[in-house]
Amino acid sequence: LQSARKVEELLSTVLEVQMLESGAVPMQRAPTHLRALVADAIASLQGAACATNVVIDLAPGDDLEVAVDPRFMRRSVEN
């Protein structure tokens, strides 16, 4: 079941990237705090990371606010 979800996510990502590249889906940029986005992505992956004895850490540092599409940026971080 988990591998089927992963395949579905990968196919969805490929489709979204193709749609972005073709201009069918415009990016929806918004001011986004990268540190919070990365922290949320890490939190969503902690269960899988722990199950495989992988440690994911977010190093201390400044937060940057940038204009990105948060959905695609988060997906990029998670991948």
Side-chain angles (χ1 to χ4, degrees), residues 3-17 75 78-79:
S3 60
R5 280 190 213 137
K6 187 66 176 171
V7 169
E8 180 183 9
E9 286 177 26
L10 290 172
L11 290 173
S12 177
T13 299
V14 169
L15 178 59
E16 286 178 349
V17 168
R75 185 164 289 182
E78 289 175 342
N79 286 331

Side-chain angles (χ1 to χ4, degrees), residues 34-54:
L34 289 183
R35 188 166 189 77
L37 185 140
V38 171
D40 287 345
I42 289 172
S44 73
L45 298 170
Q46 284 297 347
C50 287
T52 57
N53 295 319
V54 172

Side-chain angles (χ1 to χ4, degrees), residues 22-70:
S22 72
V25 174
M27 291 189 76
Q28 297 179 4
R29 295 178 187 209
T32 303
H33 290 274
L34 289 183
R35 188 166 189 77
L37 185 140
V38 171
D40 287 345
I42 289 172
S44 73
L45 298 170
Q46 284 297 347
C50 287
T52 57
N53 295 319
V54 172
V55 176
I56 305 172
D57 267 337
L58 179 59
D62 294 335
D63 188 17
L64 298 174
E65 185 177 65
V66 294
V68 296
D69 186 318

